[in-house]
Amino acid sequence: MSRYFKKQKPPKAATADIPAHTPAQSHCPTRLFVTRIHDGRCEQKEAESAADCAPRQGDDFIWVCVQGMAHASQIEEICNLFRIHHLNIEDILNTDHITKLDIFDEYTFLIMKSMTHPAEGDPHARQLSFVLGKDFLLSFLEGEEDLFLPLRKRMLKEFPFFMAMGTGYLAYSLMDMAVDRHFEVLEYIDDEIYKLEEETTTTSTQENLGRIQTLRRKVIMVRRAAWPLRDVINTLHRRDNFIRGEKTGIYLNDIYDHVLQVVDTTETFREVLSNIFDIYLTSAGNRTNEIMKVLTMIATIVMPMTVITGIYGMNFKHMPELRWIFGYPMSLTLLVLVGAGMLWYFKKHDWL
């Protein structure tokens, strides 16, 4: 149970002025990337402190991309600059939080799960939080990988398009990149399942059983990351918020379709892994049957030999063969003939 469920510990101290937080499980250094649009220009830079992330007069829009959750105090300071509620700050800093959506008059707050790239090693889930207001976006991504670098480069070139589409389109782009990462992980799992299936049909080893269980856990992890997004997107469609605008509704439908595809794919993988597990059990059973077959053959061949040697091992006084000069060679010959006859009989009936 402990592998699939982690109980949320209550914060030790939480006040309206000093929000409590739990240390992030990732100790990657916190990096701050600021994108500002003002006076018809788009500027991007990596900030050195939280003060550099503060909104300025004349900004049409500002996006603060926080990469890495190690410096909790710095993250709290950034959130306070944009008047984020202290309970939402706690949720941002608690990287084990479940998928969540809060809609306020001032901003929309969303927590979802992204996945690490398979090229970095064993894929695992990481938390992505973002706060979207009328003219600002704060994104907080756990881990070291800069997932949104391509988006920042694109925004630098196409910022008039982003402004024309509205701030909700940028939030959609973040969600879309996070969901698309699920497909990369599923492709990685698909390759691993194919290799495992090929090996299991030929050889059934204890190592294959461990790999089956590992892939099952990965599929469950992806499913748990994607499944809650269905309810999140449905809620975004039903209620007024800063993500769903006049031009972004159709894009949310696109994410919804991707989420359904991810969930359906995980269900398919679970069925395939169950079939592979059945193949493993069948192969292991067949191997055990083969071993028992060989042992039974040996016992059957040895049984009449044991009877013959038992008869002549009784040591009665009046046994003519005991004093016969050819008694010993003939008994050995008889044992060989019996064994050879049994082998011939088994071969004839294709039991060997």
Side-chain angles (χ1 to χ4, degrees), residues 165 168-169 171-173 175-176 179-180 183 229-238 241 243-262:
M165 293 296 296
Y169 181 80
Y172 148 77
S173 300
M175 297 175 63
D176 185 56
V179 173
D180 286 347
F183 289 104
L229 289 177
R230 304 185 313 162
D231 295 333
V232 167
I233 296 175
N234 285 332
T235 302
L236 290 174
H237 275 300
R238 291 195 307 266
N241 57 85
I243 298 179
R244 183 185 62 84
E246 296 180 357
K247 301 179 181 179
T248 55
I250 189 173
Y251 293 100
L252 289 177
N253 292 335
D254 179 67
I255 295 180
Y256 188 82
D257 293 340
H258 290 176
V259 170
L260 291 182
Q261 186 176 352
V262 170

Side-chain angles (χ1 to χ4, degrees), residues 4-20:
Y4 302 102
F5 174 75
K6 180 177 288 188
K7 184 177 181 180
Q8 298 292 335
K9 297 181 179 180
K12 296 181 179 180
T15 65
D17 299 324
I18 305 176

Side-chain angles (χ1 to χ4, degrees), residues 183-201:
F183 289 104
E184 298 178 20
V185 175
L186 290 176
E187 184 177 355
Y188 162 79
I189 295 176
D190 187 27
D191 293 338
E192 292 295 316
I193 290 177
Y194 177 78
K195 297 176 185 177
L196 180 60
E197 188 174 20
E198 291 291 323
E199 295 178 10
T200 305
T201 52

